[in-house]
Amino acid sequence: MSTDIAQIKIEKTQHSRINEVDFENIKFGREFSDHMFSMDYIDGAWRNLEIKPYQDLTFSPAMSALHYGQSIFEGLKAYRSGDKVLTFRAKDNFARMNRSAKRMCIPQIPEDLVMDALNTLLSLDKKWVPTGEQNSLYIRPFLFATDEYVGIKPSATYKFIIFTCPVGNYYSEPLRVKIETDYTRAIPGGVGEAKCAGNYAASLYPAKLAQEQGFHQLVWTDAKEHKYIEESGTMNIMFVIDGKLITPSLSGAILPGITRHSVLEIAKDWGMQVEERQVSVEEVVLAAQEGRLEEAFGAGTAATIAQIAEISHNDINYKLPAIESRKFSNKVYDFLNDFKRGREEDKWGWIETIK
Ligand code: COI
């Protein structure tokens, strides 16, 4: 069976909740727009394509995603640009979702079809895309196993959903982070580069311990020696040392972030020296001690460009240069903000306009 956009059944809400939302004070991930898209994988094909009012799901207690973790997701955003709505690199998110799906033994999604479904969903919920330079509509596609079965095997059935939420900033202040040297997020050959639910579950306990010590986030290091920096809890990590933009190379244990890739491309375009390579903890700590660590920041869809104010390693806290002095990360933050709102030339073809 082939699936195409004409097969989407659309049921519009009779009771929009938009007037219940305080758009002046949007909290991240707490408000959900009126509609969602869903489809089911049954007998080897995607079926039951529908856009319907945002609502609860019903499922069996034996639903396999709950027990064995076949569950992946994406995060991307839509932005208001005058009376238009724009998405940023949506195709890249769905392509990454298919890479995660492959690793987790989940069937592929038809990328053109879900792009069209997203377009239709956003045109229906256009009013939910907030105004304001710090605000956007967060889009959450996710895909999970739905077999009612106890036992280890790939599920034969799946559900794919896209819902959206108006959001403000994920982080409200520059971050204090701790370089983690006891716990491990991912190992080469594992699932660290897949955006699967379990990666986030595994991070919660070490992150909680760090929060109890006064940190906002962890910086994960390699599983074998805890010598090399990998990524931070909700984002990739980047440094400016001696004027060069440096970030850990994708080792298989790091999420291939779309914001990460965008920042690297923009930096190269601006003529900055960019290094994607192993980044040792020692190098970063030494640069901080010698005053050569000019900037440190996270890059992610939710986090955008999140400034790191302090890095701690082995109980020693390194205060980094004042946020206002950080030329590159402030400039790339502003540039991306303008770019995603259609105020810069789209030379990379990263923007889609919602019809
Ligand atoms: C994203 O940046 O989109 C993520 O999925 C990370 C999560 C902290 C919201």
Side-chain angles (χ1 to χ4, degrees), residues 184-188 190-193 199 220-224 230 252-254:
T184 294
R185 176 187 172 274
I187 50 165
V191 295
E193 66 184 351
N199 282 342
W220 295 105
T221 51
D222 70 287
K224 205 169 158 200
E230 296 205 321
I254 296 178

